[in-house]
Amino acid sequence: MSRPQIPLEQIRAQVQACKKCPLADGRTQTVFGVGDPQARVLIVGEAPGKNEDLQGEPFVGAAGKYLNELLSYAGLKREDVFIANVLKCRPPGNRDPRPEEIQLCADYLREQTRTIDPEWIVTLGNFATKFILRTDVGITRLHGTLQQAGRFKVFPVFHPAAALYDGKKREALTNDFVILGQLLQAPKQEQQ
Ligand code: URA
Ligand code: SF4
């Protein structure tokens, strides 16, 4: 590794002070991420919603409760993983992230990823998946397939919020998290 890792608390302070994009104006607070700083699995979502903006923690609303359930299908607890978003501030009315916002904010996710140095990255939905895999292929095609980005194993799944009221996506998410649990249990040499 060429550059030294930046301590997570230092990245957190940078995020807290960030005014690089206009989303800074509308936020209650930044949402840095939460979990085990040495997690084997990094979960990447899209952007904070209303509850996340108010509480300063990712995935605390309905989608968060559902994410906790999904993690259990993979044999994981929320405390075992690290959860972060592509954007650290809430877009107004939960609109989609804009390309320029992603470009400006992504440095933080990049540094978080370097510091945590997970073995696995689980991308939730199109924005996280397209960003991490640098692909234009949609989540409908990629979900539940093992991908690679640099030294990271990447496992894209549907965004839990998109599946809350969509039975087909819920079924796919259940299956995908069961598969993730199996992949996580496979002996290391078989994964190489
Ligand atoms: N959706 C996301 O993508 N991230 C959150 O933190 C909450 C909802
Ligand atoms: Fe900074 Fe990211 Fe928040 Fe924009 S969304 S102000 S780049 S932390």
Side-chain angles (χ1 to χ4, degrees):
M1 198 173 295
S2 45
R3 227 159 23 87
Q5 294 163 316
I6 303 174
L8 222 45
E9 288 317 306
Q10 198 172 319
I11 308 168
R12 185 194 299 274
Q14 290 172 358
V15 167
Q16 265 167 0
C18 181
K19 300 210 158 169
K20 280 199 289 185
C21 91
L23 295 181
D25 299 333
R27 73 187 178 211
T28 307
Q29 59 194 312
T30 56
V31 179
F32 178 70
V34 72
D36 180 352
Q38 305 195 338
R40 187 178 173 212
V41 180
L42 171 65
I43 310 275
V44 179
E46 184 176 311
K50 185 167 183 234
N51 293 295
E52 290 74 23
D53 170 74
L54 290 172
Q55 295 184 44
E57 184 172 327
F59 286 97
V60 290
K65 211 173 147 216
Y66 181 38
L67 176 61
N68 295 344
E69 180 190 327
L70 290 167
L71 287 171
S72 76
Y73 302 152
L76 295 167
K77 290 199 287 287
R78 195 175 162 96
E79 314 86 82
D80 298 335
V81 300
F82 196 94
I83 308 175
N85 287 309
V86 175
L87 293 187
K88 310 307 191 206
C89 301
R90 182 192 182 204
N94 298 347
R95 67 154 168 75
D96 284 350
R98 294 184 175 150
E100 64 273 21
E101 293 161 354
I102 292 175
Q103 207 203 323
L104 286 167
C105 205
D107 280 345
Y108 301 125
L109 179 62
R110 244 178 246 123
E111 293 303 334
Q112 285 175 306
T113 306
R114 273 172 55 85
T115 298
I116 295 166
D117 197 23
E119 184 184 343
W120 288 84
I121 303 177
V122 176
T123 54
L124 308 179
N126 261 319
F127 285 94
T129 302
K130 288 183 175 180
F131 174 73
I132 297 284
L133 290 179
R134 298 165 197 266
T135 180
D136 281 326
V137 181
I139 191 66
T140 305
R141 277 184 55 195
L142 285 177
H143 81 86
T145 65
L146 177 56
Q147 304 288 326
Q148 190 88 23
R151 64 183 183 282
F152 307 110
K153 298 184 184 84
V154 180
F155 194 72
V157 298
F158 283 122
H159 194 293
L164 272 179
Y165 307 104
D166 181 330
K168 282 230 168 80
K169 283 188 180 150
R170 284 182 75 97
E171 211 175 298
L173 268 170
T174 301
N175 288 337
D176 289 352
F177 273 85
V178 169
I179 291 169
L180 175 66
Q182 291 164 353
L183 290 169
L184 289 171
Q185 277 196 353
K188 282 229 153 153
Q189 55 272 28
E190 283 182 27
Q191 291 176 14
Q192 303 297 317

